[in-house]
């Protein structure tokens, strides 16, 4: 999903976001764009084996598709609030087969 598609989904679901997290994006451009969209306190971190946050901290987690792994999805789920949403951003340059393979992998990881 592109960042534009993610912002459209977030606009439809949330009127305000209190806490959000972006994972695996270079720089803060993605986080800044999402903060402008619905406000709130946003954090941005590189993908690591363990995210440096306590459980159930974030309403929204947006991960770079390049960061997707079993451990990354489990960590995102751990830091996400029970009614939170997890989004994956895939670069527009991703070919249709590559994007299809990534989606299959994400669905497999989520279960």
């Amino acid at each position: 999903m592109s960042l534009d598609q993610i912002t459209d989904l977030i606009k439809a679901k949330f009127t305000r976001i209190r806490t959000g997290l972006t994972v695996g994006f270079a720089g803060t451009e993605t986080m800044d764009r999402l903060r402008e969209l619905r406000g709130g306190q946003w954090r941005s971190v590189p993908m690591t084996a363990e995210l440096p946050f306590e459980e159930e901290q974030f309403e929204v987690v947006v991960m770079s598709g390049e960061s997707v792994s079993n451990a990354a999805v489990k960590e995102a789920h751990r830091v996400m609030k029970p009614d939170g949403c997890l989004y994956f951003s895939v670069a527009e340059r991703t070919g249709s087969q590559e994007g299809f393979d990534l989606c299959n992998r994400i669905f497999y990881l989520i279960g």
Side-chain angles (χ1 to χ4, degrees):
M1 199 178 312
S2 73
L3 188 56
D4 288 336
Q5 291 169 317
I6 290 171
T7 57
D8 288 344
L9 289 171
I10 289 173
K11 279 191 231 178
K13 179 160 177 71
F14 298 94
T15 55
R16 174 133 172 81
I17 295 173
R18 288 184 212 91
T19 56
L21 176 66
T22 60
V23 180
F25 293 93
T28 62
E29 179 183 336
T30 301
M31 178 186 70
D32 293 341
R33 185 170 169 189
L34 293 168
R35 180 185 296 127
E36 289 173 10
L37 179 70
R38 290 293 187 242
Q41 296 180 348
W42 283 80
R43 303 284 305 267
S44 182
V45 296
M47 189 60 246
T48 59
E50 293 183 18
L51 296 175
F53 305 105
E54 293 181 20
E55 294 180 5
E56 301 179 1
Q57 293 290 305
F58 300 99
E59 291 174 292
V60 176
V61 178
V62 180
M63 297 181 71
S64 168
E66 297 170 11
S67 301
V68 175
S69 69
N70 194 6
V73 171
K74 285 182 179 181
E75 274 298 285
H77 187 264
R78 181 184 68 77
V79 301
M80 192 172 53
K81 291 185 177 187
D83 59 345
C85 290
L86 174 60
Y87 299 96
F88 298 93
S89 177
V90 179
E92 291 181 22
R93 69 181 185 284
T94 302
S96 60
Q97 183 60 46
E98 187 180 357
F100 179 77
D101 292 343
L102 177 60
C103 287
N104 279 339
R105 189 167 148 214
I106 291 167
F107 286 124
Y108 175 77
L109 293 172
I110 293 172

